[in-house]
């Protein structure tokens, strides 16, 4: 969890003209444009509405499932007797705005990972590269820590 740009700007506004402006300026530059990625664990996550908008914008209608189907499986990170798959939805933000997502499914029985969707906002080329790398890194880290026997 990182420090948000809004928080840094609020702190700077509260500091006014004090001698800490240099520190505040440093923090603002350090965290501006920072990419953050999170695994969605709850269906009522505050970023779900933004995810649906981005998903509908990026993924062509004839190649996608309804976003409600993706949301239905949020939190299914453990295989059970009824299902042998684990679902993961990662969201990527830059400057507090959702810029990407990755939907992956891990099949426990086959020890195989399937990336169903990877979507990145088309408006910022630099963010596209950073977001893709960040999303893949978080997924890789999760799979290596949780499913040591993943084959593909």
């Amino acid at each position: 969890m990182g420090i948000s740009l809004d928080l840094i700007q609020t702190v700077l506004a509260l500091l006014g003209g004090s001698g800490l402006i240099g520190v505040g300026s440093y923090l603002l530059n350090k965290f501006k444009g920072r990419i953050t990625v999170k695994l969605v664990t709850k269906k009522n996550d505050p970023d779900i509405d933004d995810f649906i908008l981005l998903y509908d914008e990026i993924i062509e209608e004839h190649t996608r499932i309804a976003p409600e189907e993706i949301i239905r499986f949020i939190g299914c990170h453990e295989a059970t007797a009824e299902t042998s798959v684990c679902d993961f939805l990662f969201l990527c933000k830059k400057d507090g705005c959702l810029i990407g997502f990755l939907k992956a499914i891990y099949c426990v029985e086959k020890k195989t990972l399937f990336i169903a969707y990877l979507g990145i906002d088309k408006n910022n080329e630099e963010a596209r590269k950073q977001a893709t790398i960040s999303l893949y890194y978080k997924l890789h880290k999760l799979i290596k820590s949780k499913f040591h026997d993943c084959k593909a």
Side-chain angles (χ1 to χ4, degrees):
M1 174 179 270
I3 298 172
S4 76
L5 183 59
D6 291 336
L7 176 63
I8 293 170
Q9 289 172 332
T10 302
V11 170
L12 286 175
L14 291 173
L15 290 174
S18 74
L20 294 175
I21 292 298
V23 172
S25 179
Y26 166 77
L27 288 173
L28 183 60
N29 289 331
K30 179 170 175 48
F31 292 104
K32 186 175 183 181
R34 186 172 182 181
I35 300 280
T36 58
V37 175
K38 72 175 179 181
L39 173 63
V40 179
T41 58
K42 296 182 178 161
K43 293 176 170 93
N44 63 348
D45 185 284
D47 293 316
I48 288 296
D49 290 339
D50 289 338
F51 159 70
I52 293 171
L53 290 172
L54 188 60
Y55 177 78
D56 285 344
E57 178 185 325
I58 293 175
I59 308 298
E60 294 181 15
E61 190 170 353
H62 69 279
T63 62
R64 68 176 183 227
I65 62 172
E68 295 79 18
E69 286 299 306
I70 294 174
I71 294 165
R72 183 167 74 107
F73 291 103
I74 288 176
C76 299
H77 303 145
E78 304 293 333
T80 65
E82 295 84 37
T83 179
S84 63
V85 297
C86 303
D87 286 78
F88 304 100
L89 176 62
F90 291 91
L91 300 181
C92 184
K93 294 174 94 174
K94 181 175 180 177
D95 296 332
C97 296
L98 188 69
I99 61 166
F101 59 87
L102 186 146
K103 164 74 167 117
I105 302 163
Y106 182 75
C107 179
V108 177
E109 183 180 322
K110 299 292 182 183
K111 300 176 182 162
T112 304
L113 178 72
F114 171 70
I115 297 176
Y117 297 102
L118 171 65
I120 309 293
D121 188 352
K122 301 172 188 163
N123 295 326
N124 184 325
E125 187 62 33
E126 182 181 340
R128 289 174 60 97
K129 291 176 188 174
Q130 291 174 350
T132 302
I133 292 167
S134 297
L135 285 162
Y136 279 131
Y137 174 77
K138 285 288 189 172
L139 176 63
H140 180 263
K141 188 175 174 183
L142 176 88
I143 294 300
K144 288 297 179 190
S145 69
K146 194 170 178 122
F147 304 106
H148 306 292
D149 54 357
C150 181
K151 294 179 182 177

